[in-house]
Amino acid sequence: ETGVTQTPRHLVMGMTNKKSLKCEQHLGHNAMYWYKQSAKKPLELMFVYNFKEQTENNSVPSRFSPECPNSSHLFLHLHTLQPEDSALYLCASSQDRLLVETQYFGPGTRLLVL
Amino acid sequence: QKEVEQDPGPLSVPEGAIVSLNCTYSNSAFQYFMWYRQYSRKGPELLMYTYSSGNKEDGRFTAQVDKSSKYISLFIRDSQPSDSATYLCAMRPRETGGFKTIFGAGTRLFVKA
């Protein structure tokens, strides 16, 4: 719908599991973002990529590992997560990292860590 | 003090009412102000953005920025049940990109038919 797709839409994992979230954008944008959205809390920006290069990392724990193989795809690799990491993980893209006003969001991956 | 404050609601109004959603902020460097709408089980969708002070209108929606009071508003005229969603404000300084964008926690709006 928005041109940004995310898979899976729902994920349940144990604390010792390793999983990956995938995001793909079909808008020809150059910047891609990962956000975390917890209940009743503001969106937290996790990572920003511009032209495949990571430009910002908001002090995210190393158990979250992003990967951006090209401008259309973004991954978030997860390992040894904690229950407090349960949240909605949103991917977004924009024409440029400075044009955040033109961000398009994907539908998110609802993650539950047991 | 949080950089951006937004009343979480919920706000419940009858169909056809004028809705006023608001955010206050503390950082005088903020220059870009955005409003997003988020339906249940969906990602946020950009509704409007404004630069610096003033008003901006788009159909039934009007965004207003008062930098002297550090206060922004989104007005929805002739509200419809389809407007029921969570509304997020966001803002950032002029010279920076996504990393310095700060979001409010969102206000949940219910429009009753």
Side-chain angles (χ1 to χ4, degrees):
Chain A
E1 298 170 6
T2 65
V4 181
T5 59
Q6 289 186 244
T7 55
R9 294 293 308 276
H10 302 273
L11 179 61
V12 180
M13 59 187 289
M15 291 192 285
T16 57
N17 292 159
K18 289 184 181 181
K19 297 286 184 183
S20 295
L21 309 184
K22 180 182 175 182
C23 175
E24 184 173 359
Q25 58 96 359
H26 309 274
L27 302 167
H29 288 167
N30 298 309
M32 297 188 77
Y33 311 76
W34 279 118
Y35 287 89
K36 176 183 178 183
Q37 187 175 36
S38 304
K40 295 190 169 74
K41 292 176 74 174
L43 257 68
E44 298 173 53
L45 180 65
M46 301 174 73
F47 301 103
V48 181
Y49 277 82
N50 201 45
F51 291 95
K52 302 188 301 177
E53 300 296 321
Q54 184 176 311
T55 58
E56 277 113 17
N57 173 340
N58 197 12
S59 302
V60 179
S62 59
R63 58 185 183 269
F64 295 91
S65 174
E67 178 190 1
C68 189
N70 55 62
S71 292
S72 299
H73 293 87
L74 186 64
F75 295 89
L76 189 62
H77 304 299
L78 316 171
H79 63 98
T80 58
L81 293 191
Q82 305 298 310
E84 60 265 29
D85 296 322
S86 299
L88 181 68
Y89 288 85
L90 291 159
C91 173
S93 71
S94 66
Q95 185 59 45
D96 180 271
R97 72 176 184 88
L98 292 180
L99 298 175
V100 69
E101 299 75 43
T102 59
Q103 276 185 85
Y104 288 85
F105 283 85
T109 295
R110 175 86 44 197
L111 173 67
L112 178 62
V113 181
L114 300 176
Chain B
Q1 182 189 8
K2 294 179 186 175
E3 279 194 282
V4 177
E5 298 270 7
Q6 186 175 12
D7 186 335
L11 179 61
S12 185
V13 301
E15 184 175 358
I18 296 175
V19 176
S20 173
L21 303 166
N22 312 295
C23 288
T24 59
Y25 63 95
S26 57
N27 187 346
S28 58
F30 289 142
Q31 295 277 0
Y32 284 93
F33 303 91
M34 290 81 79
W35 284 98
Y36 291 85
R37 177 175 62 197
Q38 186 173 19
Y39 291 116
S40 181
R41 285 184 283 278
K42 294 283 181 79
E45 167 197 13
L46 181 68
L47 280 176
M48 301 177 71
Y49 74 89
T50 53
Y51 175 69
S52 195
S53 283
N55 293 1
K56 187 173 184 178
E57 188 173 320
D58 184 0
R60 295 185 296 111
F61 298 89
T62 299
Q64 198 170 77
V65 175
D66 181 349
K67 293 191 71 184
S68 61
S69 302
K70 296 191 179 69
Y71 189 87
I72 68 170
S73 300
L74 178 71
F75 297 97
I76 307 174
R77 289 184 299 281
D78 187 25
S79 56
Q80 304 295 310
S82 58
D83 294 327
S84 298
T86 297
Y87 290 80
L88 311 173
C89 65
M91 50 199 78
R92 71 167 178 91
R94 186 171 76 92
E95 295 299 335
T96 63
F99 185 66
K100 295 298 185 186
T101 301
I102 307 297
F103 284 81
T107 298
R108 197 143 184 216
L109 171 68
F110 294 97
V111 181
K112 300 171 292 185

